[in-house]
């Protein structure tokens, strides 16, 4: 992705099960100050000036790879509530547009808040906390998608685990869809914003060589060379 297609790749840390690829022409910033050690959530800021917005990509892990004792309900609940509290705090303190998405391992087909009458589901607590911190306090809304986002190999079991939330859905989210083009077990969740992102500042300005982002320049040059072939 980086060498052949001009993408910037962001990883939380070695061994984490989450990463992001951003096209080299898109201005963004990694917001490490919002990330919490031991929680699988990647924070990125896009846009410039007053139009900046945040994207929080997350994977709700049921256990941490290589870390003993992290599968217990106590540890899962601690990680989940820490993340929700942080998203709520950032969204309310900054007043920014925030998108929260990823594989949350919480099947919406089992949510009592969405009309499920099935009993005995062991993850209701996680959904209740999601409503408490994000939907009720931060004003975030769950985007509606058609169909399922996960299925087992023979298709006999299906769930909706990959979710998207936004605190300004009416004005900032155009649509959220799922694609099965690269489907293995999870479908691809596609979020389209109502406002198109700019690929970079088209204004040319003079800049000292010591202030030039050489890596970014190489990405851009490589992308244009690839497109010209």
């Amino acid at each position: 992705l980086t060498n052949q297609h001009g993408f910037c790749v962001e990883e939380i840390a070695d061994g984490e099960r989450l990463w992001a690829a951003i096209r080299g022409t898109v201005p963004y910033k990694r917001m490490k100050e919002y990330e919490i050690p031991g929680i699988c959530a990647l924070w990125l800021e896009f846009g410039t000036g007053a139009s900046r917005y945040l994207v929080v990509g997350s994977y709700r892990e049921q256990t941490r790879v290589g870390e003993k004792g992290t599968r217990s309900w106590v540890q899962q609940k601690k990680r989940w509530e820490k993340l929700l509290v942080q998203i709520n705090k950032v969204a309310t303190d900054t007043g920014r547009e925030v998108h929260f998405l990823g594989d949350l391992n919480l099947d919406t087909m089992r949510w009592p808040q969405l009309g499920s009458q099935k009993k005995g589901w062991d993850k209701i607590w996680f959904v209740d906390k999601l409503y408490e911190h994000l939907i009720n306090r931060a004003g975030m809304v769950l985007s509606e998608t058609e169909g399922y986002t996960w299925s087992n190999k023979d298709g006999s079991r299906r769930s909706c685990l990959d979710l998207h939330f936004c605190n300004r859905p009416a004005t900032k989210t155009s649509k959220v869809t799922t694609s099965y083009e690269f489907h293995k077990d999870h479908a691809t969740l596609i979020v389209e914003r109502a406002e198109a992102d700019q690929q970079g500042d088209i204004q040319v300005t003079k800049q000292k060589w010591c202030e030039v982002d050489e890596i970014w320049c190489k990405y851009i040059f490589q992308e244009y060379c690839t497109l010209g072939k």
Side-chain angles (χ1 to χ4, degrees):
L1 285 174
T2 300
N3 297 332
Q4 295 185 24
H5 301 286
F7 282 84
C8 301
V9 175
E10 293 285 353
E11 299 178 274
I12 300 176
D14 291 339
E16 294 286 355
R17 295 182 284 183
L18 183 70
W19 56 276
I22 306 97
R23 188 172 293 278
T25 53
V26 175
Y28 82 97
K29 180 181 178 182
R30 174 80 175 273
M31 305 300 285
K32 290 187 177 182
E33 61 266 38
Y34 296 149
E35 296 175 5
I36 304 172
I39 294 179
C40 196
L42 186 68
W43 291 69
L44 300 172
E45 178 188 82
F46 292 92
T48 57
S51 63
R52 289 174 298 169
Y53 62 95
L54 294 166
V55 174
V56 187
S58 180
Y59 171 47
R60 194 188 71 78
E61 299 175 297
Q62 301 188 73
T63 187
R64 296 276 297 163
V65 176
E67 298 180 19
K68 293 182 178 180
T70 57
R71 183 179 284 276
S72 71
W73 283 115
V74 172
Q75 292 302 315
Q76 288 190 50
K77 289 178 177 181
K78 283 183 178 180
R79 292 195 299 270
W80 183 238
E81 190 153 27
K82 280 184 180 180
L83 175 60
L84 298 181
V85 168
Q86 179 73 324
I87 295 173
N88 175 35
K89 185 178 187 306
V90 173
T92 53
D93 288 355
T94 65
R96 296 268 187 86
E97 168 192 351
V98 179
H99 297 263
F100 173 47
L101 71 161
D103 175 8
L104 304 185
N105 276 315
L106 297 172
D107 184 9
T108 56
M109 297 168 147
R110 302 296 302 272
W111 292 16
Q113 294 89 340
L114 298 182
S116 175
Q117 300 296 318
K118 295 180 180 179
K119 305 296 182 180
W121 192 45
D122 58 2
K123 296 183 177 64
I124 292 179
W125 181 91
F126 296 90
V127 178
D128 289 342
K129 286 297 177 181
L130 194 155
Y131 269 80
E132 176 186 339
H133 292 291
L134 298 193
I135 294 177
N136 296 335
R137 293 183 181 176
M140 302 195 85
V141 175
L142 171 65
S143 298
E144 293 185 10
T145 56
E146 294 184 2
Y148 60 92
T149 66
W150 174 90
S151 67
N152 62 351
K153 290 182 179 180
D154 61 10
S156 60
R157 291 188 293 117
R158 295 178 175 180
S159 302
C160 191
L161 307 175
D162 302 86
L163 312 175
H164 170 263
F165 297 83
C166 180
N167 59 345
R168 299 180 189 172
T171 58
K172 299 299 183 180
T173 304
S174 174
K175 61 180 178 179
V176 180
T177 57
T178 52
S179 171
Y180 303 96
E181 183 178 359
F182 305 105
H183 181 256
K184 184 177 180 181
D185 55 353
H186 285 266
T188 303
L189 195 66
I190 303 171
V191 180
E192 294 184 31
R193 294 183 71 243
E195 300 173 0
D197 294 319
Q198 299 297 318
Q199 290 193 333
D201 193 345
I202 61 173
Q203 183 179 6
V204 178
T205 58
K206 185 176 180 180
Q207 192 173 28
K208 296 179 182 179
W209 276 111
C210 63
E211 298 175 351
V212 173
D213 189 337
E214 186 177 352
I215 296 176
W216 183 83
C217 289
K218 287 181 179 179
Y219 286 152
I220 304 307
F221 177 75
Q222 187 176 44
E223 181 169 327
Y224 278 113
C225 288
T226 303
L227 292 173
K229 291 181 180 179

